Structure formats: structure tokens, C-alpha cells
Amino acid sequence: MDPQTQSSSLSTSHTISPDGLNYKKCKLLKEENRLLDSVLLKEENPFDFFRVFFESIIAGAMAGVVVEAALYPIDTVKTRLQAARGGGKVVLKGLYSGLGGNLAGVLPASAIFLGVYEPAKQKLLKALPENLSAFAHLTAGALGGAASSLVRVPTEVVKQRMQTGQFASAPAAVRLIVAKEGFRGLYAGYGSFLLRDLPFDAIQFCIYEQLRIGYKLAAQRDLNDPENAIIGAVAGAITGTVTNPLDVIKTRLMVQGSSKQYKGILDCVRTIMREEGTHAFLKGIGPRVLWIGIGGSIFFGVLEKTKQMLAKKRPENHNSFYLKQE
């Protein structure tokens, strides 16, 4: 075969065939470009919302359960310190009292919080100017806290009554609270809970998100797992310090039971100031800041890792993987 014929034959053999491998690559390239265009143009459809919601509730439930189980004894000490009136002593036995029942409430509460927070945050970030991102994070945190409070408050009431030795088990606690105080007893201190937790959730998530944004801009890259955990710890410690007085009020109202030592939030504040002084509002601040600081580290570390793992399982990421393989 002469060189010209051979060259012609080789050229023909490399012609792209609709049935060949190159056709498959072209289809994958078109699909990847379509997905990229969808992200760039910020197209939105019901599937996107449900994907964000689904991934958020899984990540939230996972992070909530891990951090609660890990730090429950510190929370118990904090609760007993705050509940002790005057110079009352704090018992250090039964530090895991009520953990099982609490986890049963923490799992759905954390799932609901993140299930509301993430979609609300993304909606607000798209609707508001970039310089108002902090407002978007504050608002989304407050909305998530309000939604999850329907589960978190009964869980907190039962947990704190058990931590202070009033009941031996979660089912017994629920049964006796309802029998003595009615269904409303499970929502004792609801107003003070919202007074503490709405600002807490809003401030903590705002600080966390803003620190992440600033760090990413400075480092010019995504954050790794230890960095997410450290930022979570800082956000938690700051928020725990600022909101400690609100936490003392909430604890006193929740653990008082049917004795009704306090008539409401304002009466609780006045009584504490009159009988114990303003320093009483700092009770339990050490364990609380330690608990929330370490908890923030664990919670946000697990949260971000779980979100990353779920993101890798998305169909578009599988397409990109197969494309790279070929």
C-alpha cells in the first residue's frame, strides 16, 4: 500500500462514528454543560428544593445526635448548676440521666431545623444583595429555630426534669407531667425557650457562616474538616457566652414544675435579681461555653462532612466521575 493510500485509510478509521465511543463522550459533555448552565443561571425546580431539604434533614439529624450523645454529661452539670437556688449543692451522679429520651427528640428537632434553615438560607441569599448575607443567615436561623421548637421544647422539658432528678425515665416523665400539669406542661417555659433559642440559633449560624465566608475569601479555597470544626467552636463559644442569662431564665421556668415559683419571664428575672443578685444569671456559664464550644466544633464538623458525602452521591457528580474515567 502506498503512503497516500495508507494515510487515507488511517484518516477514515479515526472518523467519529455515531455508534462509537466518541459519541458517548459527546453526550456526556453535553449533559455536563447542561448541568453547569443550570447552576450558573440559578435555574430552580421542585427537585432542587426537595434535594436540598432531603440532604439537610439527614445532615442535621446526624450532627444533632452525635453532638448530643458526646456532650450530654456537661449539659447535665450545667442544668443542675442553673437549677440550684442560692447555695444549693450540685450532685454529680447520673450524668447520663434521660439521654435515650432526649436523643429521640433531638433527632427530629435537628432534622427539622436544618430542613428549614438550608432552603430558607438559599432563597434569601438569592433574593437579597450580597452585602446582606448576614441578615439572610440570621433570618434563616431564626426560622429554623421556630420550626424545630415544637419538638425541642417538650424534649428539653423532659430532659431537664430528669437531669434534676425529678423522674427516672422519659416515658414516666411525659406521663406524669401531662397528668399533673396537662399537655401544656410539656411546653413549660416555651416563651423563655424562644427568647433564648431564636437569638441563639440566629447568632450562632450567622457567626459561623460569616466566618466561613471570610476565611474562604482569605484562603482562596474551600475549608477542610478541621477548619470547619474550629470555626464552629468559635461561633458556639461566643453565642453561648452572650445568651447565658437567657438560658438561666429558661432553665428555671422549665424545671419549676407544678410548684410555679415564677409566674413568667419578668417575674423570674425580678425574683432571681432580688434573691440571688445579678451574678446568678452567669450560673453555669463555664460548662455552657465549654459544652457549646465543643458542641459547635462537633456539630458543624459532622454537618459539613455529611453534606459533602451526600453531595458526592448526586447524579450529576456520578456523570462527572464517569466522564473523567473515560
Side-chain angles (χ1 to χ4, degrees), residues 120-191:
K121 179 186 77 173
Q122 294 189 21
K123 280 278 191 183
L124 288 167
L125 287 174
K126 289 179 181 180
L128 296 172
E130 190 174 341
N131 62 345
L132 291 179
S133 62
F135 177 76
H137 296 138
L138 281 169
T139 305
L143 290 172
S148 63
S149 67
L150 297 175
V151 176
R152 288 164 73 179
V153 172
T155 301
E156 190 82 356
V157 169
V158 171
K159 178 191 77 172
Q160 294 197 330
R161 300 276 182 96
M162 292 184 67
Q163 286 175 329
T164 52
Q166 296 183 37
F167 302 105
S169 68
V174 173
R175 187 173 64 253
L176 291 172
I177 289 171
V178 172
K180 290 183 178 180
E181 306 169 45
F183 186 75
R184 292 179 61 183
L186 293 173
Y187 285 88
Y190 186 72

Side-chain angles (χ1 to χ4, degrees), residues 72-109:
Y72 195 80
I74 300 176
D75 182 39
T76 300
V77 173
K78 183 270 303 180
T79 298
R80 291 176 182 176
L81 282 169
Q82 292 179 340
R85 303 187 67 180
K89 294 182 179 181
V90 176
V91 180
L92 296 179
K93 293 181 179 180
L95 297 182
Y96 279 96
S97 178
L99 175 61
N102 192 52
L103 291 181
V106 165
L107 191 150

Side-chain angles (χ1 to χ4, degrees), residues 7-320:
S7 175
S8 176
S9 176
L10 286 170
S11 176
T12 304
S13 66
H14 284 79
T15 302
I16 297 176
S17 168
D19 300 321
L21 183 61
N22 287 323
Y23 178 70
K24 186 176 181 181
K25 285 184 177 181
C26 287
K27 285 190 69 177
L28 289 172
L29 280 168
K30 287 180 180 178
E31 178 65 16
E32 190 168 77
N33 287 335
R34 184 188 68 78
L35 291 166
L36 181 61
D37 289 340
S38 175
V39 172
L40 292 175
L41 293 173
K42 295 183 179 180
E43 293 176 359
E44 194 170 10
N45 53 56
F47 174 77
D48 290 330
F49 169 80
F50 287 115
R51 175 182 58 75
V52 171
F53 177 75
F54 178 72
E55 290 181 0
S56 298
I57 61 174
I58 293 177
M62 180 69 71
V65 167
V66 170
V67 73
E68 191 71 18
L71 301 178
Y72 195 80
I74 300 176
D75 182 39
T76 300
V77 173
K78 183 270 303 180
T79 298
R80 291 176 182 176
L81 282 169
Q82 292 179 340
R85 303 187 67 180
K89 294 182 179 181
V90 176
V91 180
L92 296 179
K93 293 181 179 180
L95 297 182
Y96 279 96
S97 178
L99 175 61
N102 192 52
L103 291 181
V106 165
L107 191 150
S110 299
I112 291 170
F113 179 91
L114 265 295
V116 172
Y117 173 79
E118 281 294 339
K121 179 186 77 173
Q122 294 189 21
K123 280 278 191 183
L124 288 167
L125 287 174
K126 289 179 181 180
L128 296 172
E130 190 174 341
N131 62 345
L132 291 179
S133 62
F135 177 76
H137 296 138
L138 281 169
T139 305
L143 290 172
S148 63
S149 67
L150 297 175
V151 176
R152 288 164 73 179
V153 172
T155 301
E156 190 82 356
V157 169
V158 171
K159 178 191 77 172
Q160 294 197 330
R161 300 276 182 96
M162 292 184 67
Q163 286 175 329
T164 52
Q166 296 183 37
F167 302 105
S169 68
V174 173
R175 187 173 64 253
L176 291 172
I177 289 171
V178 172
K180 290 183 178 180
E181 306 169 45
F183 186 75
R184 292 179 61 183
L186 293 173
Y187 285 88
Y190 186 72
S192 63
F193 183 90
L194 293 181
L195 181 67
R196 182 203 70 172
D197 272 50
L198 292 191
F200 179 90
D201 292 331
I203 294 169
Q204 184 182 31
F205 274 79
C206 180
I207 292 174
Y208 173 73
E209 298 277 16
Q210 293 297 307
L211 286 176
R212 288 188 81 239
I213 291 171
Y215 194 99
K216 287 172 76 172
L217 287 173
Q220 294 293 306
R221 59 173 174 79
D222 288 332
L223 278 65
N224 56 38
D225 294 339
E227 289 166 340
N228 283 323
I230 291 170
I231 290 174
V234 172
I238 293 172
T239 312
T241 302
V242 171
T243 59
N244 195 78
L246 300 176
D247 191 50
V248 172
I249 297 167
K250 185 269 309 177
T251 299
R252 294 291 182 91
L253 289 171
M254 281 189 167
V255 302
Q256 67 178 335
S258 57
S259 63
K260 298 298 180 184
Q261 298 166 329
Y262 310 108
K263 297 177 182 178
I265 295 173
L266 292 178
D267 180 61
C268 181
V269 172
R270 285 194 294 264
T271 303
I272 291 173
M273 291 181 66
R274 184 177 65 252
E275 295 181 357
E276 304 171 59
T278 55
H279 68 277
F281 292 108
L282 297 179
K283 279 190 171 184
I285 192 169
R288 176 173 166 79
V289 172
L290 176 66
W291 166 54
I292 296 177
I294 298 173
S297 174
I298 297 172
F299 180 87
F300 286 109
V302 174
L303 179 70
E304 296 298 337
K305 191 64 178 179
T306 306
K307 286 162 67 175
Q308 291 171 15
M309 293 169 62
L310 292 170
K312 289 179 181 178
K313 296 183 179 295
R314 295 175 191 165
E316 58 264 33
N317 287 329
H318 285 295
N319 287 342
S320 298

